[in-house]
Amino acid sequence: MEAALNKPPLLTGQYAFFFDFDGTLAKLKPHPNQVSLPDNVQHHICKLAELSHGALALISGRSINELDKFIQPEQYPLAGVHGAERRDINGQQFTLSLPKKQMDTIRQQLQAVLGNIEGVQIEEKPMAFALHYRHAPGSATLVEDCARKIAGQYPDLTLQQGKCVVEIKPGGVNKGEAIHQFMAEPPFSGRIPVFLGDDLTDEAGFDAVNQYHGVSIKVGQEATCARWRLEDVPAVWAWLSGQVAYFEQQRAITSRRADYESFGRSL
Ligand SMILES: [Mg+2]
């Protein structure tokens, strides 16, 4: 049986924050386009980024273009398509691409098998395909078999399972690798990583964070290698709010202390 995991402790050091997006910061909706981020959550993310000197990134299966729409006007470091694309703190973007011919062939293969199945959505990303079957649960096996067969034809591709979705994506790409890449550069390096995620795709991220003796937080009840657990998205919002309040309080204390010291020196 899965061991019970506790709520994460209040974090009191120098941390780097990594968040999955769907099902972690934003509630899942019947269609991915219906998802949104409440204003106060957006505000708290912005505050947390500021209080962590910019060491905050979103790590998602969505593309960077899509993620930007949810968080604008802010511009955080991002990893999209499970890390196949990444934008660092300076805005420099790294993108893994697949040959156009390969993308064209896979698109045609997917259309031929899944194109006419009601409720199955073929989502094309810059270098991957996500096959959604939330609205066609009876087609799960067919979709997964089709994805496995196609991915098996290309040694450079692999499968990624998620909640009611299976993705065909470049191999060697996962959220854990994205976190390692961020942790190797400023402003993340030297800090303790914290990662929150809700899905199978986030397990690689938890594993990476555990290697740094960081804080891995599973959102939801499924089995996980994360060390802490939050119940659902509103619990993430409450944790985020509490964490921001604590850091703001600490900053106010530090600032008052600096004022007193400066006053003392002027006497
Ligand atoms: Mg998620």
Side-chain angles (χ1 to χ4, degrees):
M1 203 181 111
E2 177 72 6
L5 297 175
N6 293 325
K7 280 188 175 179
L10 187 66
L11 305 178
T12 58
Q14 299 284 308
Y15 290 88
F17 291 93
F18 301 100
F19 293 91
D20 166 51
F21 185 73
D22 295 84
T24 297
L25 285 176
K27 288 184 181 178
L28 295 173
K29 298 282 179 183
H31 193 281
N33 291 346
Q34 296 165 335
V35 165
S36 64
L37 208 52
D39 286 347
N40 65 326
V41 177
Q42 170 94 287
H43 173 72
H44 285 140
I45 295 168
C46 184
K47 274 279 161 206
L48 189 61
E50 180 198 323
L51 291 158
S52 315
H53 302 279
L56 182 149
L58 304 188
I59 315 274
S60 173
R62 290 185 187 259
S63 68
I64 283 180
N65 269 348
E66 273 190 281
L67 286 171
D68 269 337
K69 288 178 200 159
F70 292 107
I71 57 173
Q72 62 183 359
E74 304 304 328
Q75 281 260 317
Y76 304 113
L78 301 175
V81 198
H82 310 287
E85 48 181 18
R86 198 172 70 85
R87 183 174 74 205
D88 70 11
I89 190 78
N90 301 314
Q92 191 179 355
Q93 194 159 322
F94 310 90
T95 306
L96 208 74
S97 62
L98 291 178
K100 183 181 177 303
K101 190 162 178 287
Q102 189 176 356
M103 292 293 286
D104 290 345
T105 308
I106 295 172
R107 186 184 313 108
Q108 286 161 11
Q109 290 175 306
L110 290 171
Q111 280 294 344
V113 182
L114 305 174
N116 292 323
I117 298 179
E118 199 173 328
V120 174
Q121 187 207 346
I122 303 170
E123 180 195 357
E124 184 166 341
K125 300 182 181 185
M127 68 303 287
F129 290 90
L131 313 173
H132 300 270
Y133 51 86
R134 186 175 299 278
H135 300 294
S139 301
T141 308
L142 174 71
V143 172
E144 285 169 12
D145 285 351
C146 172
R148 192 172 302 112
K149 202 169 161 189
I150 292 175
Q153 295 168 2
Y154 302 95
D156 54 339
L157 297 184
T158 189
L159 287 191
Q160 174 69 61
Q161 296 280 352
K163 287 177 182 166
C164 299
V165 62
V166 58
E167 296 195 40
I168 302 171
K169 62 165 196 178
V173 160
N174 61 58
K175 292 188 176 183
E177 283 306 311
I179 287 174
H180 281 304
Q181 287 161 0
F182 279 123
M183 288 301 292
E185 61 194 29
F188 300 91
S189 52
R191 288 173 169 262
I192 304 165
V194 181
F195 177 51
L196 293 85
D198 72 306
D199 209 343
L200 277 175
T201 171
D202 299 309
E203 292 297 317
F206 298 142
D207 184 46
V209 162
N210 291 344
Q211 290 173 35
Y212 293 92
H213 304 288
V215 183
S216 48
I217 307 173
K218 164 79 177 181
V219 182
Q221 295 307 315
E222 296 89 354
T224 182
C225 70
R227 303 223 164 112
W228 284 272
R229 194 188 294 281
L230 286 167
E231 194 179 1
D232 50 20
V233 174
V236 173
W237 295 345
W239 174 85
L240 181 61
S241 163
Q243 200 58 62
V244 167
Y246 173 78
F247 283 141
E248 284 189 316
Q249 190 186 36
Q250 290 306 301
R251 183 167 68 174
I253 291 169
T254 308
S255 154
R256 273 205 299 275
R257 193 176 295 145
D259 284 349
Y260 288 141
E261 283 170 6
S262 147
F263 179 64
R265 277 196 301 274
S266 69
L267 289 175

Coordinates of all heavy atoms in Angstrom, one line a residue, residues 85-165:
E85 N 11.3 22.0 -25.0 CA 11.6 23.4 -25.2 C 11.8 24.1 -23.8 O 11.1 23.7 -22.9 CB 10.6 24.2 -26.1 CG 9.1 23.9 -25.7 CD 8.2 24.7 -26.6 OE1 8.5 25.0 -27.7 OE2 7.0 24.8 -26.2
R86 N 12.7 25.0 -23.8 CA 13.0 25.6 -22.5 C 13.4 27.1 -22.7 O 14.1 27.4 -23.6 CB 14.1 24.8 -21.8 CG 14.3 25.1 -20.3 CD 15.3 24.1 -19.7 NE 16.7 24.4 -20.2 CZ 17.4 25.3 -19.6 NH1 17.0 26.0 -18.5 NH2 18.7 25.5 -20.0
R87 N 13.0 28.0 -21.8 CA 13.4 29.4 -21.8 C 14.0 29.7 -20.5 O 13.4 29.5 -19.5 CB 12.1 30.2 -22.1 CG 12.5 31.7 -22.2 CD 11.3 32.5 -22.6 NE 10.3 32.7 -21.5 CZ 9.0 32.9 -21.7 NH1 8.5 33.0 -22.9 NH2 8.3 33.1 -20.6
D88 N 15.2 30.3 -20.5 CA 15.9 30.6 -19.3 C 15.5 32.0 -18.8 O 14.7 32.7 -19.4 CB 17.4 30.4 -19.5 CG 18.1 31.4 -20.3 OD1 17.4 32.4 -20.7 OD2 19.3 31.2 -20.7
I89 N 16.2 32.4 -17.7 CA 15.8 33.6 -17.0 C 16.1 34.8 -17.9 O 15.5 35.9 -17.8 CB 16.6 33.8 -15.7 CG1 16.1 34.9 -14.8 CG2 18.1 33.9 -15.9 CD1 14.9 34.7 -14.1
N90 N 17.0 34.7 -18.9 CA 17.3 35.8 -19.8 C 16.4 35.8 -21.0 O 16.6 36.6 -21.9 CB 18.8 35.7 -20.2 CG 19.7 35.8 -19.0 OD1 19.5 36.6 -18.1 ND2 20.7 34.9 -18.9
G91 N 15.5 34.9 -21.1 CA 14.6 34.9 -22.3 C 15.2 34.0 -23.4 O 14.6 33.9 -24.5
Q92 N 16.4 33.4 -23.2 CA 16.9 32.6 -24.3 C 16.2 31.3 -24.4 O 15.9 30.7 -23.4 CB 18.4 32.4 -24.0 CG 19.1 31.8 -25.3 CD 20.6 31.5 -25.0 OE1 21.2 31.9 -24.0 NE2 21.2 30.9 -26.0
Q93 N 15.8 30.9 -25.6 CA 15.0 29.7 -25.8 C 15.8 28.6 -26.4 O 16.6 28.8 -27.4 CB 13.8 30.0 -26.6 CG 12.7 28.9 -26.5 CD 11.3 29.3 -26.8 OE1 10.9 30.5 -26.5 NE2 10.6 28.5 -27.5
F94 N 15.7 27.4 -25.9 CA 16.3 26.2 -26.4 C 15.2 25.2 -26.9 O 14.3 24.9 -26.1 CB 17.1 25.5 -25.3 CG 18.1 26.4 -24.6 CD1 17.6 27.0 -23.5 CD2 19.4 26.6 -25.1 CE1 18.5 27.9 -22.8 CE2 20.2 27.5 -24.4 CZ 19.8 28.1 -23.2
T95 N 15.2 24.8 -28.1 CA 14.1 24.0 -28.7 C 14.7 22.8 -29.4 O 15.5 22.9 -30.3 CB 13.3 24.8 -29.7 OG1 12.8 26.0 -29.0 CG2 12.1 24.0 -30.1
L96 N 14.1 21.6 -29.0 CA 14.5 20.4 -29.7 C 13.5 20.3 -30.8 O 12.3 20.5 -30.6 CB 14.3 19.2 -28.7 CG 15.1 18.0 -28.9 CD1 16.5 18.3 -28.5 CD2 14.5 16.9 -28.0
S97 N 13.9 19.9 -32.0 CA 12.9 19.8 -33.1 C 13.0 18.4 -33.7 O 14.0 17.8 -33.7 CB 13.1 20.9 -34.1 OG 14.4 20.8 -34.7
L98 N 11.9 18.0 -34.4 CA 11.9 16.8 -35.1 C 11.8 17.2 -36.6 O 11.2 18.2 -36.9 CB 10.7 15.9 -34.8 CG 10.6 15.3 -33.4 CD1 9.4 14.6 -33.2 CD2 11.8 14.4 -33.2
P99 N 12.4 16.4 -37.5 CA 12.3 16.8 -38.9 C 10.9 16.9 -39.4 O 10.0 16.1 -39.0 CB 13.0 15.6 -39.6 CG 13.8 14.9 -38.6 CD 13.1 15.2 -37.3
K100 N 10.6 17.9 -40.3 CA 9.3 18.2 -40.8 C 8.6 16.9 -41.4 O 7.5 16.6 -41.2 CB 9.3 19.3 -41.8 CG 7.9 19.7 -42.3 CD 8.0 20.8 -43.2 CE 6.6 21.2 -43.8 NZ 5.9 20.0 -44.4
K101 N 9.5 16.2 -42.2 CA 9.0 15.0 -42.9 C 8.4 14.0 -41.8 O 7.4 13.3 -42.0 CB 10.1 14.4 -43.7 CG 9.7 13.3 -44.6 CD 10.7 13.1 -45.7 CE 10.3 11.9 -46.7 NZ 10.4 10.6 -46.1
Q102 N 9.2 13.8 -40.7 CA 8.8 12.9 -39.7 C 7.4 13.3 -39.1 O 6.6 12.5 -38.8 CB 9.9 12.8 -38.6 CG 9.7 11.7 -37.6 CD 10.9 11.6 -36.7 OE1 11.8 12.3 -36.8 NE2 10.8 10.8 -35.7
M103 N 7.3 14.6 -38.8 CA 6.1 15.2 -38.2 C 4.9 14.9 -39.2 O 3.8 14.5 -38.7 CB 6.2 16.7 -37.9 CG 7.2 17.0 -36.8 SD 6.6 16.4 -35.1 CE 5.3 17.6 -34.7
D104 N 5.2 15.2 -40.5 CA 4.1 15.0 -41.5 C 3.6 13.5 -41.5 O 2.4 13.3 -41.6 CB 4.6 15.4 -42.9 CG 4.8 16.9 -43.0 OD1 4.3 17.6 -42.1 OD2 5.5 17.4 -43.9
T105 N 4.6 12.6 -41.5 CA 4.3 11.2 -41.6 C 3.5 10.8 -40.4 O 2.4 10.1 -40.5 CB 5.5 10.3 -41.7 OG1 6.3 10.8 -42.7 CG2 5.2 8.9 -41.9
I106 N 3.9 11.2 -39.2 CA 3.2 10.8 -38.0 C 1.8 11.4 -38.0 O 0.8 10.7 -37.6 CB 4.0 11.2 -36.7 CG1 5.3 10.5 -36.6 CG2 3.2 11.0 -35.4 CD1 6.3 11.0 -35.6
R107 N 1.7 12.6 -38.4 CA 0.3 13.3 -38.4 C -0.6 12.4 -39.3 O -1.8 12.2 -38.9 CB 0.4 14.7 -39.0 CG -0.9 15.5 -38.9 CD -0.7 16.8 -39.6 NE 0.4 17.6 -39.1 CZ 1.5 17.8 -39.9 NH1 1.6 17.4 -41.1 NH2 2.5 18.5 -39.4
Q108 N -0.1 12.0 -40.5 CA -0.9 11.2 -41.4 C -1.3 9.9 -40.8 O -2.4 9.4 -40.9 CB -0.2 11.0 -42.7 CG -0.1 12.2 -43.6 CD 1.0 12.2 -44.6 OE1 1.6 11.1 -44.9 NE2 1.2 13.3 -45.3
Q109 N -0.3 9.2 -40.1 CA -0.6 7.9 -39.5 C -1.6 8.1 -38.4 O -2.6 7.2 -38.3 CB 0.7 7.4 -38.8 CG 1.7 6.9 -39.9 CD 3.1 6.5 -39.2 OE1 3.6 7.3 -38.4 NE2 3.5 5.3 -39.5
L110 N -1.5 9.1 -37.6 CA -2.5 9.3 -36.5 C -3.9 9.6 -37.0 O -4.9 9.1 -36.5 CB -2.0 10.5 -35.6 CG -0.8 10.2 -34.7 CD1 -0.3 11.5 -34.0 CD2 -1.1 9.1 -33.7
Q111 N -3.9 10.5 -38.1 CA -5.2 10.8 -38.7 C -5.9 9.6 -39.2 O -7.1 9.4 -39.1 CB -5.0 11.8 -39.8 CG -4.9 13.3 -39.3 CD -6.1 13.8 -38.7 OE1 -7.2 13.3 -38.8 NE2 -5.9 14.9 -37.9
A112 N -5.1 8.7 -39.9 CA -5.7 7.5 -40.5 C -6.3 6.6 -39.5 O -7.4 6.0 -39.7 CB -4.6 6.7 -41.2
V113 N -5.8 6.5 -38.3 CA -6.3 5.5 -37.3 C -7.3 6.2 -36.3 O -8.3 5.7 -36.0 CB -5.1 4.9 -36.4 CG1 -5.7 3.9 -35.4 CG2 -4.1 4.3 -37.4
L114 N -7.0 7.5 -35.9 CA -7.8 8.1 -34.9 C -8.6 9.3 -35.3 O -9.5 9.8 -34.6 CB -6.8 8.6 -33.7 CG -5.9 7.6 -33.1 CD1 -4.9 8.2 -32.2 CD2 -6.7 6.5 -32.4
G115 N -8.4 9.7 -36.6 CA -9.0 10.9 -37.1 C -10.5 10.9 -37.0 O -11.2 12.0 -36.8
N116 N -11.2 9.8 -37.1 CA -12.6 9.7 -37.1 C -13.3 9.2 -35.9 O -14.4 8.8 -35.9 CB -13.1 8.9 -38.3 CG -12.8 9.6 -39.7 OD1 -12.8 10.8 -39.8 ND2 -12.3 8.8 -40.6
I117 N -12.5 9.1 -34.8 CA -13.0 8.5 -33.6 C -13.5 9.7 -32.7 O -12.8 10.6 -32.3 CB -12.0 7.7 -32.8 CG1 -11.6 6.5 -33.7 CG2 -12.5 7.2 -31.5 CD1 -10.6 5.6 -33.1
E118 N -14.8 9.7 -32.5 CA -15.5 10.8 -31.7 C -14.9 10.9 -30.3 O -14.7 9.9 -29.6 CB -17.0 10.5 -31.7 CG -17.7 11.8 -31.4 CD -19.2 11.7 -31.5 OE1 -19.6 10.8 -32.3 OE2 -19.9 12.4 -30.7
G119 N -14.5 12.1 -30.0 CA -14.0 12.3 -28.6 C -12.5 12.3 -28.5 O -11.9 12.7 -27.5
V120 N -11.8 11.7 -29.5 CA -10.4 11.6 -29.5 C -9.8 12.9 -30.1 O -10.2 13.2 -31.3 CB -9.8 10.4 -30.2 CG1 -8.3 10.4 -30.3 CG2 -10.3 9.1 -29.4
Q121 N -8.9 13.6 -29.4 CA -8.4 14.8 -30.0 C -6.9 14.6 -30.2 O -6.1 14.2 -29.3 CB -8.6 16.0 -29.0 CG -8.2 17.3 -29.5 CD -7.8 18.3 -28.4 OE1 -8.0 18.1 -27.3 NE2 -7.1 19.4 -28.8
I122 N -6.5 14.9 -31.5 CA -5.0 14.8 -31.8 C -4.5 16.3 -31.7 O -4.8 17.1 -32.5 CB -4.8 14.3 -33.2 CG1 -5.5 12.9 -33.4 CG2 -3.3 14.3 -33.6 CD1 -5.5 12.4 -34.8
E123 N -3.6 16.5 -30.7 CA -3.1 17.8 -30.5 C -1.6 17.8 -31.0 O -0.8 17.0 -30.5 CB -3.1 18.2 -29.0 CG -2.5 19.6 -28.7 CD -2.2 19.8 -27.2 OE1 -2.5 19.0 -26.4 OE2 -1.7 20.9 -26.9
E124 N -1.3 18.7 -31.9 CA 0.1 18.8 -32.4 C 0.8 19.9 -31.7 O 0.4 21.0 -31.6 CB 0.0 19.0 -33.9 CG 1.4 19.0 -34.5 CD 1.5 18.9 -36.0 OE1 0.4 18.5 -36.6 OE2 2.5 19.2 -36.6
K125 N 2.0 19.5 -31.2 CA 2.9 20.5 -30.5 C 4.1 20.7 -31.4 O 4.2 20.0 -32.4 CB 3.3 19.9 -29.2 CG 2.1 19.7 -28.3 CD 2.5 19.2 -26.9 CE 1.4 18.9 -26.0 NZ 1.7 18.5 -24.7
P126 N 5.0 21.6 -31.1 CA 6.1 21.9 -32.0 C 7.0 20.6 -32.3 O 7.5 20.5 -33.4 CB 6.9 22.9 -31.2 CG 5.9 23.6 -30.4 CD 4.9 22.6 -30.0
M127 N 7.1 19.7 -31.4 CA 7.9 18.5 -31.6 C 7.3 17.3 -31.0 O 8.0 16.3 -30.6 CB 9.3 18.7 -31.2 CG 9.5 18.8 -29.7 SD 8.6 20.1 -28.9 CE 9.5 21.5 -29.5
A128 N 6.0 17.2 -30.9 CA 5.3 16.1 -30.2 C 3.8 16.1 -30.6 O 3.3 17.0 -31.1 CB 5.4 16.2 -28.7
F129 N 3.2 14.9 -30.3 CA 1.7 14.8 -30.5 C 1.1 14.3 -29.2 O 1.6 13.3 -28.6 CB 1.4 13.8 -31.6 CG 1.8 14.3 -33.0 CD1 3.1 14.0 -33.5 CD2 0.9 15.0 -33.8 CE1 3.4 14.5 -34.8 CE2 1.2 15.5 -35.0 CZ 2.5 15.2 -35.5
A130 N 0.1 15.0 -28.8 CA -0.7 14.6 -27.6 C -2.0 14.0 -28.0 O -2.7 14.7 -28.8 CB -0.9 15.7 -26.6
L131 N -2.3 12.8 -27.6 CA -3.6 12.2 -28.0 C -4.5 12.1 -26.8 O -4.3 11.4 -25.9 CB -3.3 10.8 -28.6 CG -2.1 10.7 -29.6 CD1 -1.8 9.2 -29.9 CD2 -2.5 11.5 -30.8
H132 N -5.5 13.0 -26.8 CA -6.4 13.1 -25.7 C -7.6 12.2 -25.8 O -8.3 12.2 -26.9 CB -6.9 14.5 -25.5 CG -5.8 15.5 -25.4 ND1 -5.3 15.9 -24.1 CD2 -5.1 16.2 -26.3 CE1 -4.4 16.8 -24.3 NE2 -4.2 17.0 -25.6
Y133 N -8.0 11.5 -24.8 CA -9.2 10.6 -24.9 C -10.1 10.8 -23.6 O -10.9 9.9 -23.3 CB -8.8 9.1 -25.1 CG -7.8 8.6 -24.1 CD1 -8.2 8.1 -22.9 CD2 -6.5 8.6 -24.4 CE1 -7.3 7.6 -22.0 CE2 -5.5 8.1 -23.5 CZ -5.9 7.6 -22.3 OH -5.0 7.1 -21.4
R134 N -10.0 12.0 -23.0 CA -10.9 12.3 -21.8 C -12.3 12.1 -22.2 O -13.2 11.7 -21.4 CB -10.6 13.7 -21.4 CG -11.4 14.1 -20.1 CD -10.9 15.5 -19.6 NE -9.5 15.6 -19.3 CZ -9.0 15.2 -18.2 NH1 -9.7 14.7 -17.2 NH2 -7.7 15.2 -18.0
H135 N -12.7 12.5 -23.5 CA -14.1 12.4 -23.9 C -14.4 11.1 -24.7 O -15.5 11.0 -25.3 CB -14.4 13.6 -24.8 CG -14.3 14.9 -24.0 ND1 -15.0 15.2 -22.9 CD2 -13.4 15.9 -24.2 CE1 -14.6 16.4 -22.4 NE2 -13.6 16.8 -23.2
A136 N -13.5 10.2 -24.7 CA -13.7 8.9 -25.3 C -12.9 7.8 -24.5 O -12.0 7.1 -25.0 CB -13.2 8.9 -26.8
P137 N -13.3 7.6 -23.2 CA -12.6 6.7 -22.4 C -12.6 5.3 -22.9 O -11.6 4.5 -22.7 CB -13.3 6.8 -21.0 CG -14.6 7.5 -21.3 CD -14.4 8.3 -22.5
G138 N -13.6 4.9 -23.7 CA -13.7 3.5 -24.2 C -12.6 3.3 -25.3 O -12.4 2.2 -25.7
S139 N -12.0 4.4 -25.8 CA -11.0 4.3 -26.9 C -9.6 4.3 -26.3 O -8.6 4.4 -27.1 CB -11.2 5.4 -27.9 OG -12.4 5.4 -28.4
A140 N -9.4 4.3 -25.0 CA -8.1 4.4 -24.4 C -7.1 3.4 -24.9 O -6.0 3.7 -25.3 CB -8.2 4.3 -22.9
T141 N -7.5 2.1 -25.0 CA -6.6 1.1 -25.5 C -6.2 1.3 -26.9 O -5.0 1.1 -27.3 CB -7.3 -0.3 -25.3 OG1 -7.7 -0.4 -23.9 CG2 -6.3 -1.5 -25.6
L142 N -7.2 1.6 -27.7 CA -6.9 1.8 -29.2 C -5.9 3.0 -29.3 O -5.0 2.9 -30.1 CB -8.2 2.2 -29.9 CG -8.1 2.6 -31.3 CD1 -7.7 1.4 -32.2 CD2 -9.4 3.2 -31.9
V143 N -6.1 4.1 -28.6 CA -5.2 5.2 -28.7 C -3.8 4.9 -28.2 O -2.8 5.2 -28.9 CB -5.8 6.4 -27.8 CG1 -4.8 7.6 -27.8 CG2 -7.1 6.9 -28.4
E144 N -3.7 4.2 -27.1 CA -2.4 3.8 -26.6 C -1.7 2.8 -27.5 O -0.5 3.0 -27.7 CB -2.6 3.2 -25.2 CG -2.9 4.3 -24.1 CD -3.3 3.8 -22.8 OE1 -3.1 2.6 -22.5 OE2 -3.7 4.6 -22.0
D145 N -2.4 1.9 -28.1 CA -1.8 0.9 -29.0 C -1.3 1.6 -30.2 O -0.2 1.4 -30.7 CB -2.8 -0.2 -29.4 CG -3.1 -1.2 -28.3 OD1 -2.3 -1.1 -27.3 OD2 -4.0 -2.0 -28.4
C146 N -2.1 2.6 -30.7 CA -1.7 3.3 -31.9 C -0.4 4.1 -31.6 O 0.5 4.1 -32.4 CB -2.9 4.2 -32.3 SG -2.5 5.4 -33.6
A147 N -0.4 4.8 -30.5 CA 0.7 5.6 -30.1 C 2.0 4.8 -30.0 O 3.1 5.1 -30.4 CB 0.4 6.4 -28.8
R148 N 1.8 3.6 -29.3 CA 3.0 2.7 -29.1 C 3.5 2.2 -30.4 O 4.7 2.2 -30.6 CB 2.5 1.5 -28.2 CG 3.7 0.7 -27.7 CD 3.2 -0.3 -26.7 NE 2.5 0.3 -25.5 CZ 1.2 0.1 -25.3 NH1 0.5 -0.6 -26.1 NH2 0.6 0.7 -24.2
K149 N 2.6 1.9 -31.3 CA 3.0 1.3 -32.6 C 3.8 2.4 -33.4 O 4.9 2.1 -34.0 CB 1.8 0.9 -33.4 CG 2.1 -0.1 -34.5 CD 0.7 -0.6 -35.0 CE 0.9 -1.2 -36.4 NZ -0.3 -1.6 -37.0
I150 N 3.3 3.6 -33.4 CA 4.0 4.7 -34.2 C 5.3 5.1 -33.5 O 6.4 5.1 -34.2 CB 3.1 5.9 -34.3 CG1 1.9 5.6 -35.1 CG2 3.9 7.1 -34.8 CD1 0.9 6.7 -35.2
A151 N 5.3 5.2 -32.2 CA 6.6 5.6 -31.5 C 7.6 4.5 -31.7 O 8.8 4.8 -31.8 CB 6.3 5.8 -30.0
G152 N 7.2 3.2 -31.8 CA 8.1 2.1 -32.0 C 8.8 2.1 -33.3 O 9.8 1.5 -33.5
Q153 N 8.3 2.9 -34.3 CA 8.9 2.9 -35.6 C 10.1 3.9 -35.6 O 10.8 4.0 -36.6 CB 7.8 3.4 -36.6 CG 6.7 2.4 -36.8 CD 5.5 3.0 -37.6 OE1 5.6 4.1 -38.1 NE2 4.5 2.2 -37.8
Y154 N 10.2 4.8 -34.6 CA 11.2 5.8 -34.6 C 12.0 5.7 -33.3 O 11.5 5.9 -32.2 CB 10.6 7.2 -34.6 CG 9.7 7.4 -35.8 CD1 8.3 7.2 -35.7 CD2 10.2 7.8 -37.1 CE1 7.5 7.4 -36.8 CE2 9.4 8.0 -38.1 CZ 8.0 7.8 -38.0 OH 7.2 8.0 -39.1
P155 N 13.3 5.3 -33.5 CA 14.2 5.2 -32.3 C 14.3 6.5 -31.5 O 14.7 6.4 -30.3 CB 15.5 4.7 -32.8 CG 15.4 4.6 -34.3 CD 14.0 5.1 -34.7
D156 N 14.1 7.6 -32.1 CA 14.3 8.9 -31.4 C 13.1 9.3 -30.6 O 13.0 10.4 -30.0 CB 14.8 10.0 -32.3 CG 13.9 10.2 -33.5 OD1 13.1 9.2 -33.8 OD2 13.9 11.2 -34.1
L157 N 12.0 8.5 -30.7 CA 10.7 8.9 -30.0 C 10.4 8.0 -28.9 O 10.8 6.8 -28.8 CB 9.6 8.9 -31.0 CG 9.7 9.9 -32.2 CD1 8.4 9.8 -33.1 CD2 9.9 11.3 -31.7
T158 N 9.6 8.5 -28.0 CA 9.2 7.7 -26.8 C 7.7 8.1 -26.5 O 7.2 9.1 -27.0 CB 10.1 7.9 -25.6 OG1 9.8 7.0 -24.6 CG2 10.0 9.3 -25.0
L159 N 7.1 7.3 -25.6 CA 5.7 7.6 -25.2 C 5.7 8.3 -23.8 O 6.6 7.9 -22.9 CB 4.9 6.3 -25.1 CG 4.5 5.7 -26.4 CD1 3.4 4.6 -26.1 CD2 3.9 6.7 -27.4
Q160 N 4.8 9.1 -23.5 CA 4.6 9.7 -22.2 C 3.1 9.6 -21.9 O 2.2 10.1 -22.5 CB 4.9 11.2 -22.2 CG 4.6 11.9 -21.0 CD 5.5 11.5 -19.8 OE1 6.8 11.6 -19.9 NE2 5.0 10.9 -18.8
Q161 N 2.8 8.8 -20.8 CA 1.4 8.6 -20.3 C 1.0 9.8 -19.4 O 1.9 10.3 -18.7 CB 1.3 7.3 -19.6 CG 1.6 6.1 -20.4 CD 0.4 5.6 -21.2 OE1 -0.7 6.2 -21.1 NE2 0.6 4.7 -22.1
G162 N -0.2 10.2 -19.5 CA -0.7 11.2 -18.6 C -2.2 10.9 -18.3 O -2.7 9.8 -18.6
K163 N -2.9 11.8 -17.6 CA -4.3 11.6 -17.3 C -5.1 11.7 -18.5 O -5.3 12.8 -19.1 CB -4.7 12.6 -16.2 CG -4.1 12.3 -14.9 CD -4.6 13.4 -13.9 CE -3.9 13.1 -12.5 NZ -4.0 14.3 -11.6
C164 N -5.7 10.6 -19.1 CA -6.5 10.6 -20.3 C -5.8 11.2 -21.5 O -6.4 11.8 -22.3 CB -7.8 11.4 -20.0 SG -8.8 10.7 -18.7
V165 N -4.5 11.0 -21.5 CA -3.7 11.5 -22.6 C -2.4 10.6 -22.8 O -1.9 10.1 -21.8 CB -3.3 13.0 -22.4 CG1 -2.4 13.2 -21.2 CG2 -2.6 13.5 -23.7

